[in-house]
mmCIF file of all heavy atoms in Angstrom:
data_model
loop_
_atom_site.group_PDB
_atom_site.id
_atom_site.type_symbol
_atom_site.label_atom_id
_atom_site.label_comp_id
_atom_site.label_asym_id
_atom_site.label_seq_id
_atom_site.Cartn_x
_atom_site.Cartn_y
_atom_site.Cartn_z
ATOM 1 N N PHE A 16 151.652 3.163 61.617
ATOM 2 C CA PHE A 16 151.001 4.278 62.302
ATOM 3 C C PHE A 16 152.039 5.316 62.719
ATOM 4 O O PHE A 16 151.870 6.514 62.504
ATOM 5 C CB PHE A 16 150.266 3.753 63.536
ATOM 6 C CG PHE A 16 149.443 4.794 64.244
ATOM 7 C CD1 PHE A 16 148.112 4.965 63.935
ATOM 8 C CD2 PHE A 16 150.003 5.589 65.241
ATOM 9 C CE1 PHE A 16 147.346 5.913 64.582
ATOM 10 C CE2 PHE A 16 149.250 6.548 65.894
ATOM 11 C CZ PHE A 16 147.914 6.700 65.560
ATOM 12 N N TYR A 17 153.122 4.820 63.287
ATOM 13 C CA TYR A 17 154.152 5.740 63.777
ATOM 14 C C TYR A 17 154.692 6.600 62.650
ATOM 15 O O TYR A 17 154.846 7.817 62.784
ATOM 16 C CB TYR A 17 155.292 4.935 64.419
ATOM 17 C CG TYR A 17 156.377 5.820 64.986
ATOM 18 C CD1 TYR A 17 156.221 6.397 66.229
ATOM 19 C CD2 TYR A 17 157.536 6.085 64.269
ATOM 20 C CE1 TYR A 17 157.185 7.221 66.752
ATOM 21 C CE2 TYR A 17 158.506 6.909 64.790
ATOM 22 C CZ TYR A 17 158.330 7.477 66.033
ATOM 23 O OH TYR A 17 159.284 8.300 66.547
ATOM 24 N N GLU A 18 154.957 5.960 61.506
ATOM 25 C CA GLU A 18 155.573 6.714 60.406
ATOM 26 C C GLU A 18 154.585 7.654 59.738
ATOM 27 O O GLU A 18 154.896 8.812 59.469
ATOM 28 C CB GLU A 18 156.158 5.736 59.385
ATOM 29 C CG GLU A 18 157.473 5.155 59.873
ATOM 30 C CD GLU A 18 157.879 3.908 59.118
ATOM 31 O OE1 GLU A 18 157.138 3.473 58.221
ATOM 32 O OE2 GLU A 18 158.947 3.366 59.458
ATOM 33 N N LYS A 19 153.359 7.124 59.476
ATOM 34 C CA LYS A 19 152.395 7.935 58.722
ATOM 35 C C LYS A 19 151.843 9.071 59.567
ATOM 36 O O LYS A 19 151.470 10.121 59.045
ATOM 37 C CB LYS A 19 151.228 7.067 58.244
ATOM 38 C CG LYS A 19 151.590 6.107 57.157
ATOM 39 C CD LYS A 19 151.884 6.816 55.848
ATOM 40 C CE LYS A 19 152.471 5.823 54.880
ATOM 41 N NZ LYS A 19 153.454 6.310 53.963
ATOM 42 N N MET A 20 151.750 8.873 60.867
ATOM 43 C CA MET A 20 151.086 9.869 61.694
ATOM 44 C C MET A 20 152.004 11.029 62.072
ATOM 45 O O MET A 20 151.558 11.975 62.699
ATOM 46 C CB MET A 20 150.539 9.204 62.971
ATOM 47 C CG MET A 20 149.292 8.402 62.732
ATOM 48 S SD MET A 20 147.943 9.427 62.145
ATOM 49 C CE MET A 20 147.052 8.298 61.108
ATOM 50 N N ARG A 21 153.260 10.924 61.700
ATOM 51 C CA ARG A 21 154.165 12.003 62.046
ATOM 52 C C ARG A 21 153.688 13.318 61.430
ATOM 53 O O ARG A 21 153.574 14.341 62.109
ATOM 54 C CB ARG A 21 155.568 11.666 61.540
ATOM 55 C CG ARG A 21 156.585 12.657 62.001
ATOM 56 C CD ARG A 21 157.986 12.248 61.642
ATOM 57 N NE ARG A 21 158.869 13.373 61.931
ATOM 58 C CZ ARG A 21 159.120 14.341 61.067
ATOM 59 N NH1 ARG A 21 158.596 14.294 59.876
ATOM 60 N NH2 ARG A 21 159.904 15.353 61.411
ATOM 61 N N ILE A 22 153.360 13.242 60.145
ATOM 62 C CA ILE A 22 152.973 14.458 59.443
ATOM 63 C C ILE A 22 151.622 14.960 59.961
ATOM 64 O O ILE A 22 151.403 16.162 60.131
ATOM 65 C CB ILE A 22 152.960 14.217 57.913
ATOM 66 C CG1 ILE A 22 152.771 15.534 57.156
ATOM 67 C CG2 ILE A 22 151.909 13.220 57.493
ATOM 68 C CD1 ILE A 22 154.032 16.348 57.116
ATOM 69 N N TRP A 23 150.709 14.001 60.275
ATOM 70 C CA TRP A 23 149.414 14.379 60.840
ATOM 71 C C TRP A 23 149.593 15.066 62.179
ATOM 72 O O TRP A 23 148.928 16.040 62.503
ATOM 73 C CB TRP A 23 148.551 13.141 61.039
ATOM 74 C CG TRP A 23 147.833 12.726 59.806
ATOM 75 C CD1 TRP A 23 148.253 11.815 58.897
ATOM 76 C CD2 TRP A 23 146.584 13.222 59.340
ATOM 77 N NE1 TRP A 23 147.339 11.708 57.899
ATOM 78 C CE2 TRP A 23 146.297 12.551 58.140
ATOM 79 C CE3 TRP A 23 145.675 14.164 59.828
ATOM 80 C CZ2 TRP A 23 145.136 12.794 57.420
ATOM 81 C CZ3 TRP A 23 144.519 14.404 59.113
ATOM 82 C CH2 TRP A 23 144.265 13.723 57.914
ATOM 83 N N MET A 24 150.511 14.513 62.965
ATOM 84 C CA MET A 24 150.738 15.078 64.282
ATOM 85 C C MET A 24 151.218 16.521 64.165
ATOM 86 O O MET A 24 150.704 17.413 64.844
ATOM 87 C CB MET A 24 151.772 14.236 65.021
ATOM 88 C CG MET A 24 151.986 14.648 66.442
ATOM 89 S SD MET A 24 153.329 13.716 67.167
ATOM 90 C CE MET A 24 154.728 14.568 66.500
ATOM 91 N N LEU A 25 152.172 16.731 63.276
ATOM 92 C CA LEU A 25 152.704 18.086 63.121
ATOM 93 C C LEU A 25 151.618 19.029 62.630
ATOM 94 O O LEU A 25 151.454 20.145 63.139
ATOM 95 C CB LEU A 25 153.886 18.073 62.154
ATOM 96 C CG LEU A 25 155.112 17.304 62.660
ATOM 97 C CD1 LEU A 25 156.181 17.229 61.585
ATOM 98 C CD2 LEU A 25 155.668 17.968 63.907
ATOM 99 N N ALA A 26 150.855 18.555 61.624
ATOM 100 C CA ALA A 26 149.829 19.420 61.045
ATOM 101 C C ALA A 26 148.762 19.756 62.079
ATOM 102 O O ALA A 26 148.386 20.922 62.254
ATOM 103 C CB ALA A 26 149.194 18.733 59.834
ATOM 104 N N LEU A 27 148.287 18.725 62.798
ATOM 105 C CA LEU A 27 147.238 18.968 63.788
ATOM 106 C C LEU A 27 147.756 19.851 64.916
ATOM 107 O O LEU A 27 147.042 20.724 65.405
ATOM 108 C CB LEU A 27 146.743 17.641 64.363
ATOM 109 C CG LEU A 27 145.754 16.875 63.501
ATOM 110 C CD1 LEU A 27 145.556 15.480 64.065
ATOM 111 C CD2 LEU A 27 144.429 17.600 63.443
ATOM 112 N N GLY A 28 148.989 19.627 65.311
ATOM 113 C CA GLY A 28 149.557 20.431 66.379
ATOM 114 C C GLY A 28 149.626 21.899 65.984
ATOM 115 O O GLY A 28 149.171 22.774 66.721
ATOM 116 N N PHE A 29 150.111 22.148 64.777
ATOM 117 C CA PHE A 29 150.225 23.530 64.323
ATOM 118 C C PHE A 29 148.850 24.162 64.193
ATOM 119 O O PHE A 29 148.600 25.253 64.706
ATOM 120 C CB PHE A 29 150.960 23.553 62.974
ATOM 121 C CG PHE A 29 151.051 24.921 62.382
ATOM 122 C CD1 PHE A 29 151.955 25.841 62.884
ATOM 123 C CD2 PHE A 29 150.214 25.295 61.348
ATOM 124 C CE1 PHE A 29 152.023 27.113 62.359
ATOM 125 C CE2 PHE A 29 150.274 26.566 60.820
ATOM 126 C CZ PHE A 29 151.181 27.480 61.318
ATOM 127 N N LEU A 30 147.937 23.425 63.516
ATOM 128 C CA LEU A 30 146.603 23.968 63.269
ATOM 129 C C LEU A 30 145.866 24.242 64.573
ATOM 130 O O LEU A 30 145.267 25.310 64.744
ATOM 131 C CB LEU A 30 145.789 22.976 62.453
ATOM 132 C CG LEU A 30 145.703 23.255 60.961
ATOM 133 C CD1 LEU A 30 144.934 22.132 60.276
ATOM 134 C CD2 LEU A 30 145.005 24.583 60.721
ATOM 135 N N SER A 31 145.909 23.271 65.507
ATOM 136 C CA SER A 31 145.125 23.470 66.720
ATOM 137 C C SER A 31 145.685 24.620 67.542
ATOM 138 O O SER A 31 144.931 25.423 68.077
ATOM 139 C CB SER A 31 145.061 22.185 67.542
ATOM 140 O OG SER A 31 146.332 21.842 68.018
ATOM 141 N N CYS A 32 147.005 24.732 67.608
ATOM 142 C CA CYS A 32 147.584 25.856 68.358
ATOM 143 C C CYS A 32 147.197 27.182 67.725
ATOM 144 O O CYS A 32 146.803 28.126 68.420
ATOM 145 C CB CYS A 32 149.101 25.725 68.417
ATOM 146 S SG CYS A 32 149.623 24.452 69.559
ATOM 147 N N ALA A 33 147.290 27.240 66.395
ATOM 148 C CA ALA A 33 146.950 28.495 65.713
ATOM 149 C C ALA A 33 145.490 28.833 65.940
ATOM 150 O O ALA A 33 145.137 29.975 66.263
ATOM 151 C CB ALA A 33 147.247 28.357 64.219
ATOM 152 N N MET A 34 144.622 27.810 65.816
ATOM 153 C CA MET A 34 143.188 28.082 65.965
ATOM 154 C C MET A 34 142.849 28.468 67.398
ATOM 155 O O MET A 34 141.997 29.331 67.627
ATOM 156 C CB MET A 34 142.376 26.858 65.539
ATOM 157 C CG MET A 34 142.212 26.761 64.038
ATOM 158 S SD MET A 34 141.561 25.161 63.548
ATOM 159 C CE MET A 34 139.841 25.358 63.911
ATOM 160 N N ILE A 35 143.496 27.823 68.358
ATOM 161 C CA ILE A 35 143.221 28.179 69.755
ATOM 162 C C ILE A 35 143.637 29.626 70.008
ATOM 163 O O ILE A 35 142.919 30.400 70.646
ATOM 164 C CB ILE A 35 143.934 27.212 70.718
ATOM 165 C CG1 ILE A 35 143.196 25.875 70.741
ATOM 166 C CG2 ILE A 35 143.978 27.775 72.131
ATOM 167 C CD1 ILE A 35 143.867 24.799 71.546
ATOM 168 N N MET A 36 144.775 30.005 69.453
ATOM 169 C CA MET A 36 145.226 31.384 69.666
ATOM 170 C C MET A 36 144.253 32.381 69.053
ATOM 171 O O MET A 36 143.850 33.355 69.698
ATOM 172 C CB MET A 36 146.630 31.561 69.083
ATOM 173 C CG MET A 36 147.706 31.284 70.112
ATOM 174 S SD MET A 36 149.291 31.882 69.596
ATOM 175 C CE MET A 36 149.820 30.615 68.487
ATOM 176 N N VAL A 37 143.868 32.115 67.790
ATOM 177 C CA VAL A 37 142.921 33.029 67.131
ATOM 178 C C VAL A 37 141.600 33.061 67.908
ATOM 179 O O VAL A 37 141.056 34.131 68.207
ATOM 180 C CB VAL A 37 142.689 32.576 65.665
ATOM 181 C CG1 VAL A 37 141.564 33.396 65.042
ATOM 182 C CG2 VAL A 37 143.970 32.712 64.868
ATOM 183 N N GLY A 38 141.096 31.854 68.248
ATOM 184 C CA GLY A 38 139.816 31.777 68.947
ATOM 185 C C GLY A 38 139.852 32.482 70.289
ATOM 186 O O GLY A 38 138.908 33.168 70.672
ATOM 187 N N MET A 39 140.961 32.333 71.007
ATOM 188 C CA MET A 39 141.101 32.958 72.319
ATOM 189 C C MET A 39 141.082 34.482 72.198
ATOM 190 O O MET A 39 140.352 35.158 72.922
ATOM 191 C CB MET A 39 142.432 32.534 72.948
ATOM 192 C CG MET A 39 142.383 31.200 73.611
ATOM 193 S SD MET A 39 141.340 31.344 75.032
ATOM 194 C CE MET A 39 141.031 29.663 75.360
ATOM 195 N N VAL A 40 141.903 34.984 71.301
ATOM 196 C CA VAL A 40 141.982 36.441 71.166
ATOM 197 C C VAL A 40 140.637 36.992 70.714
ATOM 198 O O VAL A 40 140.123 37.982 71.246
ATOM 199 C CB VAL A 40 143.110 36.826 70.179
ATOM 200 C CG1 VAL A 40 143.078 38.323 69.913
ATOM 201 C CG2 VAL A 40 144.451 36.412 70.743
ATOM 202 N N TRP A 41 140.036 36.291 69.752
ATOM 203 C CA TRP A 41 138.726 36.696 69.247
ATOM 204 C C TRP A 41 137.700 36.678 70.383
ATOM 205 O O TRP A 41 136.990 37.657 70.632
ATOM 206 C CB TRP A 41 138.318 35.738 68.124
ATOM 207 C CG TRP A 41 137.129 36.177 67.327
ATOM 208 C CD1 TRP A 41 136.350 37.273 67.539
ATOM 209 C CD2 TRP A 41 136.583 35.513 66.174
ATOM 210 N NE1 TRP A 41 135.363 37.327 66.608
ATOM 211 C CE2 TRP A 41 135.477 36.268 65.760
ATOM 212 C CE3 TRP A 41 136.939 34.342 65.474
ATOM 213 C CZ2 TRP A 41 134.716 35.889 64.644
ATOM 214 C CZ3 TRP A 41 136.169 33.975 64.374
ATOM 215 C CH2 TRP A 41 135.068 34.740 63.962
ATOM 216 N N GLY A 42 137.626 35.554 71.097
ATOM 217 C CA GLY A 42 136.609 35.406 72.129
ATOM 218 C C GLY A 42 136.856 36.316 73.321
ATOM 219 O O GLY A 42 135.929 36.893 73.878
ATOM 220 N N LEU A 43 138.105 36.441 73.727
ATOM 221 C CA LEU A 43 138.389 37.181 74.965
ATOM 222 C C LEU A 43 138.451 38.683 74.734
ATOM 223 O O LEU A 43 138.132 39.463 75.628
ATOM 224 C CB LEU A 43 139.701 36.693 75.578
ATOM 225 C CG LEU A 43 139.698 35.246 76.070
ATOM 226 C CD1 LEU A 43 141.007 34.912 76.753
ATOM 227 C CD2 LEU A 43 138.541 34.991 77.021
ATOM 228 N N ALA A 44 138.885 39.093 73.536
ATOM 229 C CA ALA A 44 139.096 40.533 73.338
ATOM 230 C C ALA A 44 138.070 41.170 72.420
ATOM 231 O O ALA A 44 137.648 42.298 72.651
ATOM 232 C CB ALA A 44 140.499 40.770 72.784
ATOM 233 N N PHE A 45 137.635 40.445 71.377
ATOM 234 C CA PHE A 45 136.839 41.116 70.358
ATOM 235 C C PHE A 45 135.356 40.819 70.413
ATOM 236 O O PHE A 45 134.557 41.635 69.976
ATOM 237 C CB PHE A 45 137.382 40.779 68.961
ATOM 238 C CG PHE A 45 138.734 41.375 68.716
ATOM 239 C CD1 PHE A 45 139.875 40.594 68.796
ATOM 240 C CD2 PHE A 45 138.860 42.733 68.439
ATOM 241 C CE1 PHE A 45 141.127 41.145 68.602
ATOM 242 C CE2 PHE A 45 140.106 43.285 68.248
ATOM 243 C CZ PHE A 45 141.243 42.496 68.323
ATOM 244 N N ALA A 46 134.967 39.647 70.948
ATOM 245 C CA ALA A 46 133.535 39.356 71.032
ATOM 246 C C ALA A 46 132.905 40.347 72.011
ATOM 247 O O ALA A 46 133.541 40.756 72.985
ATOM 248 C CB ALA A 46 133.314 37.924 71.501
ATOM 249 N N PRO A 47 131.639 40.741 71.751
ATOM 250 C CA PRO A 47 131.012 41.738 72.638
ATOM 251 C C PRO A 47 130.733 41.158 74.026
ATOM 252 O O PRO A 47 130.583 39.952 74.180
ATOM 253 C CB PRO A 47 129.711 42.060 71.903
ATOM 254 C CG PRO A 47 129.438 40.868 71.058
ATOM 255 C CD PRO A 47 130.759 40.320 70.658
ATOM 256 N N ALA A 48 130.646 42.031 75.012
ATOM 257 C CA ALA A 48 130.328 41.586 76.373
ATOM 258 C C ALA A 48 128.866 41.196 76.441
ATOM 259 O O ALA A 48 128.027 41.741 75.730
ATOM 260 C CB ALA A 48 130.624 42.712 77.371
ATOM 261 N N GLU A 49 128.558 40.237 77.307
ATOM 262 C CA GLU A 49 127.184 39.778 77.429
ATOM 263 C C GLU A 49 126.372 40.763 78.256
ATOM 264 O O GLU A 49 126.899 41.417 79.156
ATOM 265 C CB GLU A 49 127.178 38.386 78.085
ATOM 266 C CG GLU A 49 126.171 37.445 77.481
ATOM 267 C CD GLU A 49 125.050 37.123 78.432
ATOM 268 O OE1 GLU A 49 124.770 37.950 79.311
ATOM 269 O OE2 GLU A 49 124.467 36.051 78.287
ATOM 270 N N LEU A 50 125.068 40.821 77.950
ATOM 271 C CA LEU A 50 124.225 41.838 78.577
ATOM 272 C C LEU A 50 124.165 41.659 80.100
ATOM 273 O O LEU A 50 124.368 42.600 80.863
ATOM 274 C CB LEU A 50 122.817 41.743 77.973
ATOM 275 C CG LEU A 50 121.873 42.888 78.326
ATOM 276 C CD1 LEU A 50 122.406 44.206 77.803
ATOM 277 C CD2 LEU A 50 120.485 42.598 77.768
ATOM 278 N N LYS A 51 123.883 40.432 80.546
ATOM 279 C CA LYS A 51 123.673 40.218 81.986
ATOM 280 C C LYS A 51 124.960 39.862 82.713
ATOM 281 O O LYS A 51 125.187 40.263 83.841
ATOM 282 C CB LYS A 51 122.664 39.093 82.196
ATOM 283 C CG LYS A 51 121.246 39.543 81.930
ATOM 284 C CD LYS A 51 120.272 38.413 82.223
ATOM 285 C CE LYS A 51 118.905 38.755 81.662
ATOM 286 N NZ LYS A 51 118.208 37.592 81.150
ATOM 287 N N GLN A 52 125.799 39.044 82.052
ATOM 288 C CA GLN A 52 126.969 38.525 82.757
ATOM 289 C C GLN A 52 128.210 39.374 82.560
ATOM 290 O O GLN A 52 129.237 39.119 83.189
ATOM 291 C CB GLN A 52 127.274 37.093 82.298
ATOM 292 C CG GLN A 52 126.136 36.143 82.528
ATOM 293 C CD GLN A 52 126.501 34.726 82.144
ATOM 294 O OE1 GLN A 52 127.671 34.399 82.044
ATOM 295 N NE2 GLN A 52 125.509 33.908 81.920
ATOM 296 N N GLY A 53 128.132 40.340 81.666
ATOM 297 C CA GLY A 53 129.324 41.154 81.424
ATOM 298 C C GLY A 53 130.409 40.337 80.786
ATOM 299 O O GLY A 53 130.167 39.582 79.841
ATOM 300 N N ASN A 54 131.613 40.472 81.337
ATOM 301 C CA ASN A 54 132.746 39.801 80.723
ATOM 302 C C ASN A 54 132.948 38.376 81.217
ATOM 303 O O ASN A 54 133.675 37.610 80.607
ATOM 304 C CB ASN A 54 134.025 40.600 80.982
ATOM 305 C CG ASN A 54 134.123 41.783 80.031
ATOM 306 O OD1 ASN A 54 133.730 41.670 78.879
ATOM 307 N ND2 ASN A 54 134.631 42.898 80.529
ATOM 308 N N SER A 55 132.295 38.026 82.316
ATOM 309 C CA SER A 55 132.597 36.730 82.912
ATOM 310 C C SER A 55 132.160 35.576 82.014
ATOM 311 O O SER A 55 132.656 34.467 82.148
ATOM 312 C CB SER A 55 131.910 36.593 84.273
ATOM 313 O OG SER A 55 130.524 36.487 84.094
#
Side-chain angles (χ1 to χ4, degrees):
Chain A
F16 186 92
Y17 182 81
E18 283 163 359
K19 289 290 170 214
M20 284 298 148
R21 187 173 171 273
I22 189 77
W23 277 94
M24 186 186 79
L25 294 174
L27 280 169
F29 176 76
L30 261 176
S31 66
C32 286
M34 279 168 79
I35 285 175
M36 269 195 280
V37 172
M39 278 292 164
V40 173
W41 191 356
L43 295 185
F45 292 102
E49 220 248 26
L50 191 62
K51 284 183 193 144
Q52 301 184 19
N54 281 324
S55 70

